[in-house]
Amino acid sequence: MLIIGEKINGTRKQVGDAIGQRDGGLIASLAHEQVEAGADYLDVNAGTGSEREADDLVWLVQTVQQAVDVPLCLDSPNAAALELALKAVDRQPMINSISGEPERLAHVLPLVVEYQCPVIALALDGSGVPKTVDDRLNIIARLVAATRAAGIADDRLYIDPLIMAISTADNAGLVACESMRRIHRQYPDAHLTGGLSNLSFGSPMRKYINQAFLVLALDAGMDAAIMDPSSPGITPFLLAAEAVLGRDRFCNKYNRAYRSGKLSSV
Ligand code: THG
């Protein structure tokens, strides 16, 4: 599983305040914490579409890059902010995201082509949150038609079914898993991602829900998760589930983690 660390997100109060005050220390510590816990990419999200978003995102990029060496997942619907962030990165990032929203597709897709980077394709269009699995598949079909027409190979796509919270829709986990299964069958070369902890928004003891969902999502074909790798207990769970599902050759990763003491801190 490719791990995209979720914690540098301006919609979280503490991070939003740090961005506003240009408090690089807090951002650097979140970067270190997630990389030490196994993040392959760090998601950077400045917050909610303010006029300052471009400045904020570029500052986040610079601050995170000074702290750690992993590539970034540039999380913004705003093409102008993404473009400035793309100019500021040291190593090839992932773009988060394109969607079926016409404006966003028209402005962000050319950046994906120009910078040749991997991109998250989100099952969202202009008509609100898709309700059913079919709605999601229809949006993704239109998006994949657009990326293919732009010459983007399917294996550069990280398709995201748009994971919702079980506290507001009790079938949200089922819809996410079924969508991933069908996307995987239909686009076998594409990757599958999503915001793992979206599912537990509004629930108590979120880590248990995140852990259960991680296992089911892995089984449904997810191979890249936007998640918090520093959440207590999640890493042993992830490694064990990968081994159980035959996605850890000779159980090498699991055994190595055991030998280096990473399985003992549940
Ligand atoms: N798809 C894509 N990008 C995304 C999302 C997605 N980016 C944003 C979001 N969803 C994923 N990132 C987060 C970041 C933080 C949280 C949830 C999703 C969150 N954090 C809790 C907090 O701030 O306290 C702690 C989480 C926990 O308790 O486990 O909720 O869906 N493409």
Side-chain angles (χ1 to χ4, degrees):
M1 180 83 97
L2 190 83
I3 298 174
I4 304 168
E6 72 177 14
K7 294 181 93 163
I8 303 176
N9 189 311
T11 63
R12 302 175 66 214
K13 167 99 175 73
Q14 198 192 18
V15 176
D17 291 349
I19 295 170
Q21 295 156 11
R22 293 293 187 259
D23 173 5
L26 186 269
I27 303 298
S29 75
L30 292 175
H32 283 296
E33 181 187 9
Q34 295 181 97
V35 170
E36 273 156 31
D40 300 295
Y41 278 80
L42 290 181
D43 194 77
V44 285
N45 182 318
T48 36
S50 69
E51 278 168 25
R52 304 185 30 192
E53 173 151 12
D55 280 351
D56 289 348
L57 190 62
V58 168
W59 177 78
L60 273 183
V61 165
Q62 291 164 342
T63 305
V64 175
Q65 284 183 162
Q66 279 163 22
V68 293
D69 286 331
V70 299
L72 303 179
C73 180
L74 304 174
D75 188 353
S76 171
N78 177 333
L82 285 173
E83 183 158 26
L84 288 173
L86 282 161
K87 292 197 166 96
V89 295
D90 295 335
R91 57 184 69 71
Q92 176 155 278
M94 187 180 295
I95 293 181
N96 184 8
S97 52
I98 54 171
S99 74
E101 297 158 288
E103 271 285 288
R104 188 157 166 186
L105 191 58
H107 292 103
V108 180
L109 192 58
L111 296 176
V112 180
V113 172
E114 184 181 346
Y115 288 87
Q116 293 285 308
C117 36
V119 62
I120 296 180
L122 186 62
L124 180 67
D125 66 9
S127 58
V129 174
K131 289 205 167 46
T132 64
V133 174
D134 280 335
D135 292 343
R136 286 170 163 77
L137 268 287
N138 287 334
I139 296 169
I140 294 301
R142 288 202 302 277
L143 268 174
V144 175
T147 54
R148 286 178 177 170
I152 297 164
D154 285 3
D155 66 5
R156 270 173 61 201
L157 295 181
Y158 287 76
I159 300 178
D160 180 341
L162 188 62
I163 296 164
M164 303 305 289
I166 52 172
S167 60
T168 54
D170 55 27
N171 65 349
L174 279 176
V175 167
C177 289
E178 179 61 14
S179 298
M180 286 193 279
R181 256 179 235 291
R182 284 181 51 190
I183 293 164
H184 187 53
R185 269 204 300 275
Q186 205 151 339
Y187 311 102
D189 293 338
H191 302 277
L192 277 170
T193 191
L196 195 80
S197 42
N198 295 5
L199 193 87
S200 63
F201 265 125
S203 294
M205 296 305 284
R206 294 177 62 179
K207 67 174 186 170
Y208 295 121
I209 294 169
N210 295 344
Q211 287 176 356
F213 181 43
L214 176 61
V215 177
L216 295 167
L218 267 172
D219 186 46
M222 185 186 260
D223 65 353
I226 306 169
M227 61 181 273
D228 174 10
S230 64
S231 171
I234 198 90
T235 296
F237 233 91
L238 172 58
L239 292 169
E242 287 184 309
V244 170
L245 290 168
R247 284 161 64 170
D248 181 8
R249 214 156 168 259
F250 305 125
C251 300
N252 272 336
K253 278 177 68 181
Y254 184 84
N255 291 333
R256 213 180 311 126
Y258 170 70
R259 286 194 298 270
S260 60
K262 288 189 185 134
L263 300 186
S264 55
S265 59
V266 186

